[in-house]
Amino acid sequence: MSGVDEIVVGKTKLGLVQGDITRQATEAIVNAANPNLMGGGGVDGAIHQAGGPAILEECRKIVSRIGRLDTGKAVITSGGKLQAKYVIHTIGPVWHGGSRGEAELLASAYRESLKSATDYKLKSLSFPSISSGAYGYPMAEAARVALSTVIAFLRGVSTSLEEVFFVLYDSKTYQVYSAELAESASQM
Ligand code: APR
């Protein structure tokens, strides 16, 4: 199936980018974090590495207040040394085969991140492919949930967002998202 790289939903452009999310110039980027918000590998490691200690300091303050961040929830910090002004940290579900509400928890991670960006009146936002790395979510299924959730939000909620990007780290992931975006667009 041929892919699609960009669609418009309402007044918001939804596009795919192949690259490193820490290098995106959108106002905010989303981090695929873990409940203790103390950094990790993958996207989490890259964002803390590129953003510097200020981000971890703010995460530490948040955790001292709330203890841990539950799966599907999101919190916002500054972007530290990143081009992005903000980092929205969200927790995707660990994949356990699909019968423990993983799809709804993944959808919630995207939805809560979009709500947070809208609350801050942001115009642009970049997502990674949440849960499809260390958390083991099958890529095509993760892409389907991600795109359908973001499209549903953009159709249903008045938002400040004018551009939303999925920043995909490698060509294989990009191709999967591009095929899923074509599928989602054909059903709109
Ligand atoms: N930019 C964009 N995408 C990236 C980058 C990057 N710099 N680094 C990795 N990715 C991609 C991975 O290839 C994968 O497709 O992000 C996707 C999510 O992978 P992970 O970062 O492993 O995130 P996740 O599967 O949600 O697991 C989160 O891993 O790093 C720990 O602390 C983190 O416990 C948490 C868990």
Side-chain angles (χ1 to χ4, degrees):
M1 174 195 294
S2 68
V4 159
D5 305 328
E6 183 178 301
I7 61 172
V8 177
V9 186
K11 64 173 179 53
T12 308
K13 179 174 84 170
L14 174 57
L16 305 180
V17 169
Q18 185 177 333
D20 179 343
I21 198 165
T22 65
R23 306 180 63 78
Q24 300 307 306
T26 48
E27 285 183 283
I29 64 172
V30 175
N31 180 22
N34 64 63
N36 71 21
L37 291 180
M38 288 295 113
V43 172
D44 202 2
I47 288 176
H48 281 284
Q49 171 79 29
I55 299 176
L56 192 62
E57 207 31 57
E58 291 177 51
C59 288
R60 218 188 294 282
K61 289 200 182 94
I62 292 169
V63 167
S64 66
R65 234 183 22 250
I66 65 172
R68 52 175 272 137
L69 186 61
D70 289 337
T71 301
K73 301 289 184 205
V75 292
I76 191 165
T77 66
S78 77
K81 294 187 295 185
L82 292 167
Q83 288 184 72
K85 274 168 57 185
Y86 299 100
V87 177
I88 294 171
H89 306 262
T90 192
I91 318 297
V94 176
W95 178 255
H96 291 291
S99 57
R100 293 199 204 169
E102 292 97 323
E104 182 37 45
L105 285 167
L106 184 60
S108 174
Y110 283 101
R111 212 178 292 128
E112 291 301 309
S113 300
L114 288 161
K115 281 183 193 164
S116 184
T118 301
D119 290 347
Y120 273 68
K121 300 187 177 16
L122 303 185
K123 290 190 168 51
S124 57
L125 179 67
S126 292
F127 280 111
S129 174
I130 300 168
S131 282
S132 63
Y135 280 3
Y137 212 113
M139 187 61 79
E141 190 52 24
R144 193 187 62 71
V145 172
L147 290 166
S148 59
T149 303
V150 172
I151 289 170
F153 181 92
L154 296 177
R155 292 176 87 172
V157 175
S158 70
T159 174
S160 50
L161 288 167
E162 294 169 5
E163 293 183 309
V164 176
F165 296 102
F166 279 88
V167 182
L168 308 159
Y169 206 37
D170 53 62
S171 61
K172 182 172 159 297
T173 306
Y174 186 94
Q175 293 312 322
V176 171
Y177 269 76
S178 182
E180 288 298 334
L181 188 56
E183 182 61 28
S184 302
S186 70
Q187 290 165 14
M188 276 176 63

